[in-house]
Amino acid sequence: MTTALGVRPPSGGWTTDDLETLPEDGLRRELLDGVLLVSPTPTTAHQVIAARLMVALEQTCPPDLQATQRVEVRISSRQSFIPDVLVTTDAAARRNPQHFRPHEVVLAVEIVSPTSQSMDRITKPALYAAAEIPYFWSVETDDGIAVHTMKIDPLAEVYRPSGTFGDMIDVAEPWAIKIPISVLTPRHL
């Protein structure tokens, strides 16, 4: 049975198997504890920042890693998210998957959007850390671009801040990365 907005949710909640039955219509669908989250199309500025960051990471990453964007990370059968940018192991990327497992992801990046601030700043980082993804970056765009880098504290399963960058991303881990923020900035910002 369908509702005014589409398909009726399964009685036990959504699973990643259910995601595979939904149409390929360009919508971003994620799962949080079996609840289907559908996000609006990102803004042009959001997409430009994500694309430029992905290219900058791909150009500098070592051969055993690969940068990509908007590929699903399945944390469990009832939790699945799509980072804006992610870096995975090259072995995992060679499978050309439609989704990755958390142990295949080295870095997840979320560009904070007005319609998903709580998800991007709180929920996703907490769940990525619990899934033991080693590095997380949050990109804020409210007043220019600022990149907040974090590294997992594996004992506490939380991210600890490792830097905030407004002019140049300059980190030693997960590899030596230097990216001028101006490279990420859309021309119209």
Side-chain angles (χ1 to χ4, degrees), residues 17-117:
D17 289 339
D18 296 323
L19 290 178
E20 293 178 7
T21 67
L22 297 174
E24 288 290 329
D25 55 9
L27 293 175
R28 179 184 221 153
R29 293 181 177 93
E30 299 174 302
L31 291 179
L32 177 60
D33 299 331
V35 174
L36 181 64
L37 307 171
V38 181
S39 301
T41 303
T43 64
T44 301
H46 182 283
Q47 294 295 74
V48 168
I49 293 166
R52 290 180 178 187
L53 179 58
M54 193 252 345
V55 168
L57 290 170
E58 181 64 22
Q59 289 174 337
T60 65
C61 73
D64 62 327
L65 299 175
Q66 184 170 315
T68 189
Q69 64 183 111
R70 293 186 56 120
V71 179
E72 179 185 358
V73 177
R74 290 191 175 173
I75 295 173
S76 70
S77 66
R78 296 171 48 83
Q79 291 181 339
S80 179
F81 297 108
I82 302 172
D84 292 309
V85 177
L86 59 158
V87 175
T88 66
T89 65
D90 187 60
R94 285 181 185 273
R95 292 187 292 107
N96 196 26
Q98 291 184 339
H99 63 271
F100 292 104
R101 304 304 292 172
H103 71 274
E104 298 172 318
V105 179
V106 175
L107 167 66
V109 180
E110 294 293 346
I111 300 168
V112 177
S113 296
T115 58
S116 61
Q117 291 178 14

